[in-house]
């Protein structure tokens, strides 16, 4: 699969998942996670995820000192799971904010796209890994039951792929 197709598959799995859990590291080494909504719904040339965050909030403070983050997505309805490793930065890009701003974002930033506390967090994807299951729950249960009876590991439970994006 070509890199652009791999990126498209990755975004296909991400776009319908309402929240991603962004994990960042505090200065004491402890990991902290926050649910965020991915604002872009298609792949861009930079393989970047965008999120709105408060400029004066915890995420902005901590990614300023340690840009390494992970974003994990779990869409249990579609049986798809994605883990993204990336480098985060706070962007001052008003045009991008205007492109991505939507009515749901206004709930968090009532002053709208010009809210002075509206931060645009960009996560440049370095690596990603996904698991995507196409089988119905019944087929999955059958495969797991068969494996339990035979003592073998379940086979063909879906697609698992690692992507080196950078």
């Amino acid at each position: 699969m070509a890199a652009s197709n791999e990126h498209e598959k990755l975004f296909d799995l991400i776009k319908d998942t309402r929240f991603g859990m962004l994990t960042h590291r505090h200065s004491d080494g402890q990991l902290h996670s926050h649910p965020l909504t991915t604002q872009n719904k298609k792949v861009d040339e930079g393989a970047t995820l965008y999120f709105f965050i408060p400029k004066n909030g915890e995420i902005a403070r901590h990614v300023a000192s340690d840009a390494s983050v992970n974003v994990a997505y779990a869409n249990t309805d579609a049986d798809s799971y994605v883990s993204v490793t990336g480098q985060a930065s706070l962007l001052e890009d008003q045009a991008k904010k205007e492109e991505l701003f939507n009515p749901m974002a206004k709930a968090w930033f009532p002053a709208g796209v010009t809210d002075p506390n509206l931060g645009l967090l960009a996560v440049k994807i370095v690596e990603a890994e996904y698991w995507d299951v196409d089988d119905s729950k019944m087929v999955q249960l059958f495969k797991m039951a068969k494996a339990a009876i035979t003592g073998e590991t379940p086979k063909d439970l879906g697609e698992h792929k690692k992507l080196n994006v950078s």
Side-chain angles (χ1 to χ4, degrees), residues 22 36-39 49-53 71 73 119-123:
L22 179 117
L36 295 177
T37 301
T38 307
Q39 298 303 317
L49 302 171
Y50 295 99
F51 306 92
F52 289 129
I53 63 168
V71 185
Y73 297 90
L120 182 60
L121 184 72
V123 176

Side-chain angles (χ1 to χ4, degrees), residues 50 52 90-99 113 120:
Y50 295 99
F52 289 129
L90 202 57
L91 297 183
E92 286 300 329
D93 185 337
Q94 189 61 32
K96 193 66 159 174
K97 287 179 184 179
E98 290 172 10
E99 173 191 333
V113 73
L120 182 60

Side-chain angles (χ1 to χ4, degrees), residues 3-163:
S4 64
N5 288 344
E6 290 177 340
H7 292 179
E8 288 173 16
K9 169 75 176 194
L10 183 66
F11 268 76
D12 280 345
L13 296 174
I14 290 172
K15 72 180 180 184
D16 294 326
T17 305
R18 186 164 178 200
F19 298 102
M21 289 298 290
L22 179 117
T23 302
H24 59 91
R25 188 176 12 249
H26 283 205
S27 59
D28 63 3
Q30 295 297 312
L31 300 174
H32 295 262
S33 298
H34 305 265
L36 295 177
T37 301
T38 307
Q39 298 303 317
N40 51 318
K41 301 301 179 197
K42 62 181 180 170
V43 67
D44 69 356
E45 66 282 348
T48 303
L49 302 171
Y50 295 99
F51 306 92
F52 289 129
I53 63 168
K55 287 182 183 178
N56 64 357
E58 179 181 342
I59 297 170
R61 282 193 308 276
H62 290 287
V63 300
S65 61
D66 185 347
S68 295
V69 297
N70 178 271
V71 185
Y73 297 90
N75 185 335
T76 56
D77 292 336
D79 248 349
S80 63
Y81 309 88
V82 176
S83 177
V84 170
T85 301
Q87 293 294 305
S89 60
L90 202 57
L91 297 183
E92 286 300 329
D93 185 337
Q94 189 61 32
K96 193 66 159 174
K97 287 179 184 179
E98 290 172 10
E99 173 191 333
L100 298 172
F101 202 80
N102 57 65
M104 290 303 291
K106 191 165 175 104
W108 297 102
F109 300 97
V113 73
T114 58
D115 188 320
N117 197 34
L118 175 65
L120 182 60
L121 184 72
V123 176
K124 171 95 172 97
I125 301 172
V126 175
E127 294 178 338
E129 190 167 3
Y130 66 80
W131 298 260
D132 186 27
V133 179
D134 290 328
D135 291 336
S136 70
K137 299 285 185 205
M138 288 299 290
V139 170
Q140 290 177 55
L141 288 171
F142 174 77
K143 287 179 179 181
M144 288 187 274
K146 179 181 173 188
I149 292 168
T150 63
E152 296 177 5
T153 303
K155 295 190 181 1
D156 301 322
L157 284 179
E159 181 181 10
H160 173 223
K161 186 126 182 144
K162 293 181 182 183
L163 308 173

